[in-house]
Amino acid sequence: MPSNEALRQAPLLAQLSDAEIDRLRARAQTRHLAAGQWLFAQDDPAERFFFVHAGQLRLFRLSAEGEEKIIELIGPGQTFAEALLFMDTGRYPVCAAALMSSELLAIDAHDFAAMLRDSPDTCFALLGSLSQRLHALIAEIDNLALHSASVRFARWLLAELPADADALTLAWPKATLASRLTIKPETWSRITRRLSDQGVLTVSGQQIQIHDRPALRRLGELDGL
């Protein structure tokens, strides 16, 4: 089980007192998932939300045809499914599955809600966390609706690149990132191959090296490539 300090990495849990953390841990369960294993499916009954201690998960929805759309990628130190605290349905709105071997802390949502009633600071931390996610999702919807695959890729890469470096090591599988951007894996490969031919970047395994950041910025400002 993660330490108190590890739990406080998550904005939602950062404001909890030692006594509240101890109470949370006493009612929590540790879950271990193998790579590819599902944690829950959309519309499953929801009684717990989760803190990722180690590993990576994807949150996604399935279309009527069974096609998967990744909603969010979750890594260590993050919480997810906490929105169920405010939902009357009592069911998860998405599916969750591990991308690699993962360790989670399953937190009792009902008991956490009881603690919220006594802790305004924690309430504001929760609202802040949910607000950030909402704004990120709205920005993503705009990006998906208004821009081509090439522009979406360029904007994503620019957002991920450190300000003081021209190289990025992908933390997630390429196929997963492509799904996150609503791009087919073959389209991802075609975009990176074209940009490589143009001298904008090179790709080696999970490493992307940028050679012409201004050209990448220009692509991110366009709307029809």
Side-chain angles (χ1 to χ4, degrees):
M1 183 174 286
S3 66
N4 288 12
E5 291 72 23
L7 289 170
R8 287 197 174 99
Q9 294 176 36
L12 175 59
L13 309 178
Q15 301 298 325
L16 295 183
S17 67
D18 288 339
E20 288 170 330
I21 288 281
D22 290 342
R23 173 175 166 175
L24 179 151
R25 288 162 59 89
R27 291 165 172 79
Q29 300 173 355
T30 301
R31 303 274 179 88
H32 293 91
L33 300 177
Q37 183 177 353
W38 284 41
L39 177 63
F40 54 76
Q42 63 195 56
D43 294 326
D44 277 356
E47 295 184 348
R48 294 179 179 273
F49 67 97
F50 302 89
F51 171 85
V52 181
H53 183 43
Q56 297 175 336
L57 289 94
R58 71 188 194 279
L59 307 184
F60 59 99
R61 288 182 64 86
L62 295 174
S63 69
E65 294 75 26
E67 294 185 356
E68 181 179 307
K69 168 54 182 145
I70 293 181
I71 305 299
E72 195 168 5
L73 300 172
I74 307 293
Q78 293 181 273
T79 56
F80 65 94
E82 62 268 43
L84 68 91
L85 293 167
F86 300 103
M87 298 170 63
D88 294 330
T89 61
R91 296 185 179 275
Y92 295 113
V94 297
C95 308
L99 287 165
M100 60 172 60
S101 178
S102 300
E103 180 182 336
L104 315 173
L105 194 67
I107 300 169
D108 186 322
H110 298 295
D111 188 65
F112 192 85
M115 284 200 298
L116 285 180
R117 297 186 184 98
D118 299 325
S119 176
D121 287 342
T122 305
C123 285
F124 279 109
L126 175 60
L127 290 173
S129 176
L130 294 177
S131 177
Q132 287 180 345
R133 289 190 181 182
L134 176 61
H135 283 292
L137 289 172
I138 290 173
E140 180 187 355
I141 290 170
D142 286 343
N143 196 32
L144 293 176
L146 300 175
H147 302 295
S148 68
S150 295
V151 174
R152 295 200 300 272
F153 174 83
R155 290 187 171 194
W156 167 82
L157 185 53
L158 287 166
E160 293 294 316
L161 275 172
D164 57 350
D166 287 320
L168 175 68
T169 299
L170 301 178
W172 309 88
K174 293 174 186 174
T176 300
L177 291 170
S179 177
R180 184 74 178 89
L181 295 172
T182 316
I183 297 173
K184 293 183 181 297
E186 56 267 29
T187 303
W188 173 289
S189 298
R190 188 166 58 250
I191 292 169
T192 55
R193 186 166 54 249
R194 186 178 72 237
L195 293 177
S196 178
D197 291 343
Q198 294 172 354
V200 177
L201 54 77
T202 54
V203 179
S204 177
Q206 291 291 98
Q207 184 87 6
I208 298 180
Q209 181 71 43
I210 307 302
H211 304 298
D212 191 343
R213 193 185 285 246
L216 194 63
R217 288 198 187 99
R218 288 194 296 272
L219 175 57
E221 294 171 354
L222 297 177
D223 195 15
L225 293 183

